[in-house]
Amino acid sequence: GGVVFMEYSGDVSLTRSTVANCSVGGGPGEDGGGVVFMESSGAVSLIDSNVAGCSADYAGGVVYARQSGAVMLIGSIVTSCTANINGGVIYANAKELPQESGAVSLIGSTVTGCSAGQDGGVVYANNNDAVSLIVSTVAGCSAGREGGVVYASRTGSVSLIGSTVTGCSAGFGGGVVYAVYQGFASGAVLIIRSTVTGCSAGEGGATFTDAIDLSVIDSTISGCNATQGGAVYVETGSASLARSNISNCISTESGGGLYSAGGRTSLSNGTLISGCSAPEGQGSSIFLLAGEVSY
């Protein structure tokens, strides 16, 4: 922990604080957390605070929480924080189920220019409770492999509610959200009353889901691009879009708007996919390798 180290302890709260240019070294099983390191401890809260230029050689550019309580950013601003491996801002992980870490929440917060060398440009969550971005703004964040904003494996639901995500990217999958099953039940991915613009990845410019149900409600995804699934990539599981728009997204191979390798896709209540493109015959709007679609 660049500032705070807690092991088998209580909660940590930074309120109306400014933290800049803090860092920590270390590798797997050692330390992480450019600002806060938590091991088998309580909750972490950053409230009405500013964090800039913090980093971790391993994981958690701001917060590293292993088998600990909830991590909350409330009314805070995080800028240009990085992790060389996972979780450019927050790394939340438990060693193995049934152990788990608490929920991760960004509420009324702004995160810009943060990155992870591998997974989770903002949040890396594994074996933990839900991940939520509520009335928050994320811009220009990236992951070298998966989850430009959120990487989620064996977690509760992943929710974007009333939030805006712009210009985020991942090298492989999920320019915004990458969520996978990996042998244990995981919650759904929910995008509600949110806007996603100009995001990109190898598969799923906005979202990549595998054996996870995706719901997009009252939301807009535009100007995103990927090799497959300019906006949405579904490996397996359902995708349901209601009262939403996908527009001007691009796939260089297949599925300009949405690519599904299997499962059920539903477009309802005036959902529109428009202005998207893919090579001829490869589904400028939707490409179904398997599965079915209903309107």
Side-chain angles (χ1 to χ4, degrees):
V3 177
V4 177
F5 180 95
M6 299 282 282
E7 196 170 44
Y8 303 100
S9 299
D11 300 339
V12 171
S13 180
L14 279 67
T15 302
R16 293 185 293 278
S17 300
T18 298
V19 182
N21 302 320
C22 294
S23 63
V24 66
E30 299 177 7
D31 55 355
V35 179
V36 177
F37 174 95
M38 303 286 280
E39 167 87 37
S40 301
S41 296
V44 181
S45 302
L46 277 69
I47 303 170
D48 298 329
S49 294
N50 293 304
V51 180
C54 294
S55 64
D57 279 352
Y58 175 52
V62 177
V63 176
Y64 179 104
R66 184 166 59 198
Q67 287 174 217
S68 294
V71 179
M72 295 171 284
L73 272 64
I74 302 172
S76 293
I77 298 171
V78 179
T79 307
S80 301
C81 293
T82 63
N84 285 348
I85 306 299
N86 296 325
V89 177
I90 296 168
Y91 175 92
N93 189 18
K95 293 177 181 177
E96 58 185 17
L97 293 173
Q99 300 167 328
E100 64 177 31
S101 284
V104 175
S105 303
L106 279 67
I107 302 171
S109 294
T110 299
V111 179
T112 58
C114 296
S115 64
Q118 292 188 6
D119 301 327
V122 177
V123 176
Y124 176 97
N126 183 59
N127 292 344
N128 73 298
D129 208 337
V131 177
S132 302
L133 279 69
I134 301 172
V135 195
S136 292
T137 299
V138 180
C141 295
S142 63
R145 296 195 315 191
E146 293 157 346
V149 178
V150 176
Y151 173 98
S153 170
R154 296 179 286 190
T155 71
S157 62
V158 176
S159 303
L160 275 67
I161 301 173
S163 294
T164 300
V165 180
T166 306
C168 295
S169 64
F172 294 167
V176 179
V177 175
Y178 178 94
V180 294
Y181 174 73
Q182 290 201 348
F184 295 89
S186 297
V189 173
L190 309 171
I191 300 176
I192 302 171
R193 298 187 302 278
S194 294
T195 301
V196 176
T197 306
C199 296
S200 63
E203 295 176 332
T207 64
F208 178 107
T209 53
D210 185 3
I212 303 289
D213 293 333
L214 168 69
S215 294
V216 181
I217 302 169
D218 296 322
S219 294
T220 298
I221 302 173
S222 64
C224 296
N225 68 86
T227 303
Q228 295 180 313
V232 173
Y233 183 101
V234 178
E235 183 68 26
T236 58
S238 70
S240 174
L241 287 75
R243 299 183 300 278
S244 295
N245 292 309
I246 295 176
S247 63
N248 303 318
C249 295
I250 299 170
S251 167
T252 57
E253 287 189 4
S254 49
L258 183 150
Y259 177 101
S260 177
R264 181 178 177 84
T265 300
S266 171
L267 311 179
S268 64
N269 299 102
T271 290
L272 181 65
I273 299 178
S274 64
C276 298
S277 64
E280 184 175 355
Q282 296 301 307
S284 59
S285 294
I286 298 174
F287 181 92
L288 297 180
L289 183 64
E292 58 184 25
V293 62
S294 64
Y295 298 90

PDB file of all heavy atoms in Angstrom, residues 1 4-12 36-44 64 66 68:
ATOM      1  N   GLY A   1       0.812  -1.196   0.000  1.00  0.00           N
ATOM      2  CA  GLY A   1       0.000   0.000   0.000  1.00  0.00           C
ATOM      3  C   GLY A   1       0.846   1.247   0.000  1.00  0.00           C
ATOM      4  O   GLY A   1       1.652   1.476   0.914  1.00  0.00           O
ATOM      5  N   VAL A   4      -1.676   3.359   2.724  1.00  0.00           N
ATOM      6  CA  VAL A   4      -2.276   2.618   3.842  1.00  0.00           C
ATOM      7  C   VAL A   4      -2.094   1.122   3.631  1.00  0.00           C
ATOM      8  O   VAL A   4      -2.380   0.607   2.543  1.00  0.00           O
ATOM      9  CB  VAL A   4      -3.778   2.935   3.980  1.00  0.00           C
ATOM     10  CG1 VAL A   4      -4.400   2.104   5.101  1.00  0.00           C
ATOM     11  CG2 VAL A   4      -4.002   4.420   4.227  1.00  0.00           C
ATOM     12  N   PHE A   5      -1.646   0.419   4.669  1.00  0.00           N
ATOM     13  CA  PHE A   5      -1.538  -1.043   4.658  1.00  0.00           C
ATOM     14  C   PHE A   5      -2.380  -1.581   5.811  1.00  0.00           C
ATOM     15  O   PHE A   5      -2.163  -1.226   6.967  1.00  0.00           O
ATOM     16  CB  PHE A   5      -0.080  -1.473   4.836  1.00  0.00           C
ATOM     17  CG  PHE A   5       0.122  -2.970   4.833  1.00  0.00           C
ATOM     18  CD1 PHE A   5       0.466  -3.626   3.673  1.00  0.00           C
ATOM     19  CD2 PHE A   5      -0.025  -3.709   6.005  1.00  0.00           C
ATOM     20  CE1 PHE A   5       0.666  -5.004   3.665  1.00  0.00           C
ATOM     21  CE2 PHE A   5       0.169  -5.078   6.009  1.00  0.00           C
ATOM     22  CZ  PHE A   5       0.516  -5.733   4.834  1.00  0.00           C
ATOM     23  N   MET A   6      -3.356  -2.453   5.493  1.00  0.00           N
ATOM     24  CA  MET A   6      -4.239  -3.026   6.506  1.00  0.00           C
ATOM     25  C   MET A   6      -4.291  -4.542   6.316  1.00  0.00           C
ATOM     26  O   MET A   6      -4.593  -5.025   5.221  1.00  0.00           O
ATOM     27  CB  MET A   6      -5.642  -2.453   6.398  1.00  0.00           C
ATOM     28  CG  MET A   6      -5.727  -0.958   6.607  1.00  0.00           C
ATOM     29  SD  MET A   6      -5.646  -0.491   8.340  1.00  0.00           S
ATOM     30  CE  MET A   6      -7.313  -0.863   8.865  1.00  0.00           C
ATOM     31  N   GLU A   7      -4.040  -5.291   7.388  1.00  0.00           N
ATOM     32  CA  GLU A   7      -4.099  -6.743   7.343  1.00  0.00           C
ATOM     33  C   GLU A   7      -4.820  -7.239   8.598  1.00  0.00           C
ATOM     34  O   GLU A   7      -4.441  -6.878   9.717  1.00  0.00           O
ATOM     35  CB  GLU A   7      -2.681  -7.308   7.271  1.00  0.00           C
ATOM     36  CG  GLU A   7      -2.619  -8.767   6.845  1.00  0.00           C
ATOM     37  CD  GLU A   7      -1.195  -9.197   6.565  1.00  0.00           C
ATOM     38  OE1 GLU A   7      -0.296  -8.853   7.352  1.00  0.00           O
ATOM     39  OE2 GLU A   7      -0.986  -9.877   5.546  1.00  0.00           O
ATOM     40  N   TYR A   8      -5.875  -8.029   8.388  1.00  0.00           N
ATOM     41  CA  TYR A   8      -6.683  -8.526   9.499  1.00  0.00           C
ATOM     42  C   TYR A   8      -7.117  -7.369  10.408  1.00  0.00           C
ATOM     43  O   TYR A   8      -6.980  -7.408  11.628  1.00  0.00           O
ATOM     44  CB  TYR A   8      -5.918  -9.585  10.298  1.00  0.00           C
ATOM     45  CG  TYR A   8      -5.469 -10.747   9.461  1.00  0.00           C
ATOM     46  CD1 TYR A   8      -4.163 -10.818   8.995  1.00  0.00           C
ATOM     47  CD2 TYR A   8      -6.369 -11.754   9.098  1.00  0.00           C
ATOM     48  CE1 TYR A   8      -3.756 -11.866   8.191  1.00  0.00           C
ATOM     49  CE2 TYR A   8      -5.959 -12.809   8.294  1.00  0.00           C
ATOM     50  CZ  TYR A   8      -4.657 -12.867   7.847  1.00  0.00           C
ATOM     51  OH  TYR A   8      -4.256 -13.909   7.047  1.00  0.00           O
ATOM     52  N   SER A   9      -7.637  -6.331   9.760  1.00  0.00           N
ATOM     53  CA  SER A   9      -7.989  -5.106  10.478  1.00  0.00           C
ATOM     54  C   SER A   9      -9.383  -4.639  10.087  1.00  0.00           C
ATOM     55  O   SER A   9     -10.152  -5.384   9.470  1.00  0.00           O
ATOM     56  CB  SER A   9      -6.949  -4.014  10.200  1.00  0.00           C
ATOM     57  OG  SER A   9      -5.667  -4.419  10.640  1.00  0.00           O
ATOM     58  N   GLY A  10      -9.707  -3.397  10.425  1.00  0.00           N
ATOM     59  CA  GLY A  10     -11.035  -2.841  10.200  1.00  0.00           C
ATOM     60  C   GLY A  10     -11.157  -2.087   8.891  1.00  0.00           C
ATOM     61  O   GLY A  10     -10.547  -2.451   7.877  1.00  0.00           O
ATOM     62  N   ASP A  11     -11.951  -1.009   8.922  1.00  0.00           N
ATOM     63  CA  ASP A  11     -12.262  -0.240   7.733  1.00  0.00           C
ATOM     64  C   ASP A  11     -11.255   0.891   7.523  1.00  0.00           C
ATOM     65  O   ASP A  11     -10.584   1.331   8.460  1.00  0.00           O
ATOM     66  CB  ASP A  11     -13.662   0.376   7.851  1.00  0.00           C
ATOM     67  CG  ASP A  11     -14.747  -0.670   8.006  1.00  0.00           C
ATOM     68  OD1 ASP A  11     -14.517  -1.836   7.636  1.00  0.00           O
ATOM     69  OD2 ASP A  11     -15.838  -0.309   8.508  1.00  0.00           O
ATOM     70  N   VAL A  12     -11.211   1.373   6.270  1.00  0.00           N
ATOM     71  CA  VAL A  12     -10.417   2.544   5.918  1.00  0.00           C
ATOM     72  C   VAL A  12     -11.316   3.525   5.179  1.00  0.00           C
ATOM     73  O   VAL A  12     -12.040   3.132   4.254  1.00  0.00           O
ATOM     74  CB  VAL A  12      -9.219   2.178   5.016  1.00  0.00           C
ATOM     75  CG1 VAL A  12      -8.541   3.434   4.497  1.00  0.00           C
ATOM     76  CG2 VAL A  12      -8.224   1.327   5.775  1.00  0.00           C
ATOM     77  N   VAL A  36      -4.122   2.125  -1.171  1.00  0.00           N
ATOM     78  CA  VAL A  36      -4.593   1.302  -0.049  1.00  0.00           C
ATOM     79  C   VAL A  36      -4.413  -0.173  -0.359  1.00  0.00           C
ATOM     80  O   VAL A  36      -4.818  -0.646  -1.436  1.00  0.00           O
ATOM     81  CB  VAL A  36      -6.082   1.574   0.262  1.00  0.00           C
ATOM     82  CG1 VAL A  36      -6.577   0.651   1.377  1.00  0.00           C
ATOM     83  CG2 VAL A  36      -6.300   3.032   0.640  1.00  0.00           C
ATOM     84  N   PHE A  37      -3.834  -0.912   0.582  1.00  0.00           N
ATOM     85  CA  PHE A  37      -3.751  -2.368   0.532  1.00  0.00           C
ATOM     86  C   PHE A  37      -4.595  -2.936   1.671  1.00  0.00           C
ATOM     87  O   PHE A  37      -4.433  -2.546   2.829  1.00  0.00           O
ATOM     88  CB  PHE A  37      -2.306  -2.833   0.707  1.00  0.00           C
ATOM     89  CG  PHE A  37      -2.140  -4.334   0.809  1.00  0.00           C
ATOM     90  CD1 PHE A  37      -1.837  -5.087  -0.314  1.00  0.00           C
ATOM     91  CD2 PHE A  37      -2.283  -4.992   2.026  1.00  0.00           C
ATOM     92  CE1 PHE A  37      -1.688  -6.471  -0.220  1.00  0.00           C
ATOM     93  CE2 PHE A  37      -2.125  -6.369   2.123  1.00  0.00           C
ATOM     94  CZ  PHE A  37      -1.830  -7.112   0.997  1.00  0.00           C
ATOM     95  N   MET A  38      -5.497  -3.880   1.342  1.00  0.00           N
ATOM     96  CA  MET A  38      -6.352  -4.528   2.340  1.00  0.00           C
ATOM     97  C   MET A  38      -6.266  -6.036   2.178  1.00  0.00           C
ATOM     98  O   MET A  38      -6.499  -6.560   1.081  1.00  0.00           O
ATOM     99  CB  MET A  38      -7.804  -4.093   2.184  1.00  0.00           C
ATOM    100  CG  MET A  38      -8.039  -2.600   2.275  1.00  0.00           C
ATOM    101  SD  MET A  38      -7.899  -1.968   3.946  1.00  0.00           S
ATOM    102  CE  MET A  38      -9.509  -2.415   4.612  1.00  0.00           C
ATOM    103  N   GLU A  39      -5.956  -6.719   3.264  1.00  0.00           N
ATOM    104  CA  GLU A  39      -5.932  -8.183   3.283  1.00  0.00           C
ATOM    105  C   GLU A  39      -6.783  -8.653   4.449  1.00  0.00           C
ATOM    106  O   GLU A  39      -6.520  -8.311   5.618  1.00  0.00           O
ATOM    107  CB  GLU A  39      -4.501  -8.691   3.446  1.00  0.00           C
ATOM    108  CG  GLU A  39      -4.388 -10.162   3.797  1.00  0.00           C
ATOM    109  CD  GLU A  39      -4.376 -11.079   2.585  1.00  0.00           C
ATOM    110  OE1 GLU A  39      -3.794 -10.697   1.570  1.00  0.00           O
ATOM    111  OE2 GLU A  39      -4.964 -12.175   2.667  1.00  0.00           O
ATOM    112  N   SER A  40      -7.851  -9.419   4.149  1.00  0.00           N
ATOM    113  CA  SER A  40      -8.724  -9.965   5.202  1.00  0.00           C
ATOM    114  C   SER A  40      -9.129  -8.881   6.189  1.00  0.00           C
ATOM    115  O   SER A  40      -9.052  -9.040   7.408  1.00  0.00           O
ATOM    116  CB  SER A  40      -8.010 -11.114   5.930  1.00  0.00           C
ATOM    117  OG  SER A  40      -7.669 -12.137   5.035  1.00  0.00           O
ATOM    118  N   SER A  41      -9.567  -7.759   5.647  1.00  0.00           N
ATOM    119  CA  SER A  41      -9.923  -6.597   6.463  1.00  0.00           C
ATOM    120  C   SER A  41     -11.300  -6.091   6.085  1.00  0.00           C
ATOM    121  O   SER A  41     -12.057  -6.762   5.389  1.00  0.00           O
ATOM    122  CB  SER A  41      -8.855  -5.502   6.306  1.00  0.00           C
ATOM    123  OG  SER A  41      -7.612  -5.950   6.816  1.00  0.00           O
ATOM    124  N   GLY A  42     -11.627  -4.889   6.539  1.00  0.00           N
ATOM    125  CA  GLY A  42     -12.954  -4.330   6.341  1.00  0.00           C
ATOM    126  C   GLY A  42     -13.118  -3.611   5.012  1.00  0.00           C
ATOM    127  O   GLY A  42     -12.455  -3.933   4.016  1.00  0.00           O
ATOM    128  N   ALA A  43     -13.990  -2.612   5.011  1.00  0.00           N
ATOM    129  CA  ALA A  43     -14.335  -1.880   3.801  1.00  0.00           C
ATOM    130  C   ALA A  43     -13.366  -0.722   3.554  1.00  0.00           C
ATOM    131  O   ALA A  43     -12.700  -0.231   4.461  1.00  0.00           O
ATOM    132  CB  ALA A  43     -15.758  -1.343   3.910  1.00  0.00           C
ATOM    133  N   VAL A  44     -13.323  -0.293   2.283  1.00  0.00           N
ATOM    134  CA  VAL A  44     -12.540   0.873   1.880  1.00  0.00           C
ATOM    135  C   VAL A  44     -13.496   1.885   1.261  1.00  0.00           C
ATOM    136  O   VAL A  44     -14.254   1.543   0.356  1.00  0.00           O
ATOM    137  CB  VAL A  44     -11.459   0.515   0.846  1.00  0.00           C
ATOM    138  CG1 VAL A  44     -10.654   1.752   0.468  1.00  0.00           C
ATOM    139  CG2 VAL A  44     -10.550  -0.578   1.365  1.00  0.00           C
ATOM    140  N   TYR A  64      -6.153  -2.178  -3.482  1.00  0.00           N
ATOM    141  CA  TYR A  64      -5.987  -3.629  -3.594  1.00  0.00           C
ATOM    142  C   TYR A  64      -6.722  -4.238  -2.409  1.00  0.00           C
ATOM    143  O   TYR A  64      -6.364  -3.985  -1.252  1.00  0.00           O
ATOM    144  CB  TYR A  64      -4.504  -3.990  -3.545  1.00  0.00           C
ATOM    145  CG  TYR A  64      -4.172  -5.458  -3.631  1.00  0.00           C
ATOM    146  CD1 TYR A  64      -3.666  -6.005  -4.810  1.00  0.00           C
ATOM    147  CD2 TYR A  64      -4.321  -6.300  -2.535  1.00  0.00           C
ATOM    148  CE1 TYR A  64      -3.321  -7.351  -4.892  1.00  0.00           C
ATOM    149  CE2 TYR A  64      -3.979  -7.646  -2.614  1.00  0.00           C
ATOM    150  CZ  TYR A  64      -3.486  -8.161  -3.789  1.00  0.00           C
ATOM    151  OH  TYR A  64      -3.140  -9.494  -3.867  1.00  0.00           O
ATOM    152  N   ARG A  66      -8.091  -7.868  -0.947  1.00  0.00           N
ATOM    153  CA  ARG A  66      -8.143  -9.322  -1.057  1.00  0.00           C
ATOM    154  C   ARG A  66      -8.868  -9.876   0.166  1.00  0.00           C
ATOM    155  O   ARG A  66      -8.486  -9.629   1.302  1.00  0.00           O
ATOM    156  CB  ARG A  66      -6.739  -9.908  -1.153  1.00  0.00           C
ATOM    157  CG  ARG A  66      -6.729 -11.431  -1.378  1.00  0.00           C
ATOM    158  CD  ARG A  66      -5.359 -11.908  -1.803  1.00  0.00           C
ATOM    159  NE  ARG A  66      -4.338 -11.602  -0.820  1.00  0.00           N
ATOM    160  CZ  ARG A  66      -3.030 -11.604  -1.094  1.00  0.00           C
ATOM    161  NH1 ARG A  66      -2.613 -11.843  -2.315  1.00  0.00           N
ATOM    162  NH2 ARG A  66      -2.154 -11.338  -0.148  1.00  0.00           N
ATOM    163  N   SER A  68     -11.610  -8.982   1.498  1.00  0.00           N
ATOM    164  CA  SER A  68     -11.936  -7.859   2.365  1.00  0.00           C
ATOM    165  C   SER A  68     -13.339  -7.365   2.067  1.00  0.00           C
ATOM    166  O   SER A  68     -14.072  -7.958   1.268  1.00  0.00           O
ATOM    167  CB  SER A  68     -10.903  -6.738   2.187  1.00  0.00           C
ATOM    168  OG  SER A  68      -9.625  -7.170   2.643  1.00  0.00           O
TER     169      SER A  68
END
